[in-house]
Amino acid sequence: MSRNSTDRTQTKRPLPDWAEPGAYQVAPGVHRIPLPLPSDALVAVNVYVLESDDGLVLIDGGWAITAARDCLEESLRAIGHHPRDIMTFLVTHSHRDHYTQAVALRREFRRARIVLGVGERASLSLVARGKPPRGTQARQLREAGADDLALAWSDRETGARDDLMEWELPDEWLEGRRQIVVGNRTLDAIPTPGHTRGHFVFADHAAGILFAGDHVLPTITPSIGYEGVPAQLPLGDYLHSLADVRALPDLELLPAHGGVGHRSHARIDELIHHHDSRLALCLRVVRASGTTAREVAAQISWTRHDLHLDELGKMDSGLAVLETMAHLDVLAARGAIGRSTIDGVHHYALPPAGPALPM
């Protein structure tokens, strides 16, 4: 289960090495700058600075908080730049830890352009109408048979309304695979739906590096479909996207969270194995007794510490149930199990009941 979105804590922990502030060269003309997150379990998000004669291009922007703004300016100053030198943000997806500081800096300097995958349009438009995305996840939790968690997430949504002004639409929508020229380098922009519908990764084949956003992370599995308007089968999309990136040459992984030094092929193989194992585990549980996603999630372990669902916080418990439902829906789409809906709650059982869901 991903910890991309987890319960906040006031406990301050030592920063992992990869999250220490600074500007770290990862390739000629490319620096990694970790920016702090506000009491988030992930601690920091990596933004990547690409230098060119026309100004700076940043892969992702960070979370729009004062600490991240100050850290970015100080880190850029260390390599002879300033935030006003940023000409373009290539944002991998619209989660706030990647997107909102790009919006804030565009307002501040009135020059930086924001480029984002077109699959994010529906969710961003929802937020622009004053509807925080957690309302969608609360509805999904009710469909999963987790009314208590849905209520907890609805309460969190109420507290999220004050920051809706952080969200604006980008200047350009990315649609389909294309090449983007940044100075003397060419980026291969590849749509990778799954984590969100509009997620993109950017491959610099000449330099042998992959700006992977949250699509491929070195030590955790990304959450799937955590957005205001999720896809019908986000895990199916994610597995297809993993296969698309696995078909590329083996590249050095430059993730949004975590350190560098990992290879894309090896990590993608681990992620595919993880999801294959979870699919098999969910299938065994359903074969033993037809049940809801909440009930399946309670019968399997979570995190590397093999925790029970009840040992997780409310946010992580919700993510666990949603991830379980995503796996069950893939099994239903493959015809391995059936899914029926009773009083708004999805139930999974053998033998398959009704037509398979579309992949």
Side-chain angles (χ1 to χ4, degrees):
M1 180 181 63
S2 171
R3 296 187 63 86
N4 282 34
S5 300
T6 57
D7 285 329
R8 305 284 178 78
T9 174
Q10 298 303 315
T11 302
K12 297 297 183 183
R13 298 176 299 167
L15 288 177
D17 289 344
W18 71 268
E20 288 290 342
Y24 304 92
Q25 183 169 310
V26 293
V30 181
H31 289 81
R32 179 182 67 87
I33 296 179
L35 299 179
L37 300 177
S39 301
D40 191 288
L42 285 174
V43 182
V45 59
N46 293 318
V47 303
Y48 294 91
V49 180
L50 282 60
E51 298 176 293
S52 78
D53 292 339
D54 299 324
L56 304 180
V57 172
L58 264 62
I59 308 291
D60 287 331
W63 189 316
I65 57 174
T66 300
R69 172 64 176 79
D70 293 344
C71 183
L72 179 63
E73 181 167 348
E74 182 177 345
S75 299
L76 286 176
R77 185 184 301 117
I79 55 175
H81 294 291
H82 188 275
R84 71 172 64 91
D85 300 329
I86 302 170
M87 302 304 295
T88 303
F89 288 95
L90 298 177
V91 184
T92 58
H93 62 294
S94 62
H95 282 169
R96 62 187 305 166
D97 55 326
H98 298 253
Y99 190 72
T100 55
Q101 185 160 246
V103 172
L105 289 172
R106 180 176 64 178
R107 287 179 187 160
E108 182 177 353
F109 296 108
R110 299 183 181 275
R111 66 185 305 185
R113 299 175 66 255
I114 300 175
V115 181
L116 183 70
V118 70
E120 307 293 77
R121 188 199 299 266
S123 291
L124 271 185
S125 297
L126 187 72
V127 174
R129 296 199 301 271
K131 298 180 180 180
R134 285 200 185 99
T136 299
Q137 277 67 54
R139 173 183 56 78
Q140 290 178 313
L141 286 167
R142 287 189 289 270
E143 293 172 347
D147 285 349
D148 58 328
L149 296 176
L151 181 61
W153 280 42
S154 295
D155 290 343
R156 290 174 64 91
E157 176 186 348
T158 301
R161 291 185 179 276
D162 292 340
D163 56 27
L164 294 180
M165 64 177 296
E166 296 178 356
W167 306 88
E168 294 177 357
L169 297 180
D171 300 282
E172 179 182 348
W173 295 107
L174 278 178
E175 189 166 7
R177 187 166 176 170
R178 55 175 286 191
Q179 292 187 330
I180 299 175
V181 176
V182 179
N184 61 358
R185 73 178 72 242
T186 299
L187 300 180
D188 188 5
I190 304 163
T192 49
H195 180 61
T196 66
R197 295 172 66 178
H199 195 288
F200 265 75
V201 301
F202 303 94
D204 183 340
H205 294 291
I209 54 180
L210 175 70
F211 301 99
D214 283 357
H215 180 59
V216 182
L217 298 172
T219 60
I220 58 177
T221 59
S223 61
I224 303 299
Y226 182 76
E227 54 192 325
V229 185
Q232 183 177 13
L233 203 66
L235 180 58
D237 294 340
Y238 182 67
L239 295 174
H240 284 304
S241 297
L242 283 179
D244 288 343
V245 179
R246 182 60 171 81
L248 300 174
D250 192 21
L251 303 169
E252 181 180 357
L253 186 63
L254 300 182
H257 306 284
V260 300
H262 303 267
R263 304 299 299 183
S264 61
H265 283 184
R267 182 55 184 153
I268 290 171
D269 290 345
E270 291 173 352
L271 289 169
I272 292 172
H273 174 73
H274 164 78
H275 286 292
D276 285 345
S277 298
R278 299 305 273 191
L279 287 166
L281 183 57
C282 288
L283 181 58
R284 287 199 298 272
V285 173
V286 173
R287 279 179 171 164
S289 60
T291 187
T292 65
R294 168 62 180 269
E295 292 166 337
V296 173
Q299 296 183 59
I300 58 183
S301 61
W302 296 97
T303 81
R304 68 191 66 182
H305 303 294
D306 292 328
L307 299 178
H308 186 270
L309 184 69
D310 291 342
E311 297 179 275
L312 303 176
K314 291 292 186 182
M315 188 69 176
D316 281 348
S317 295
L319 287 172
V321 170
L322 293 176
E323 180 176 314
T324 301
M325 188 161 67
H327 284 86
L328 292 170
D329 284 342
V330 165
L331 291 171
R334 294 176 178 178
I337 61 175
R339 190 185 87 176
S340 59
T341 303
I342 303 172
D343 295 330
V345 177
H346 299 323
H347 295 261
Y348 302 86
L350 294 177
L357 298 171
M359 284 292 287

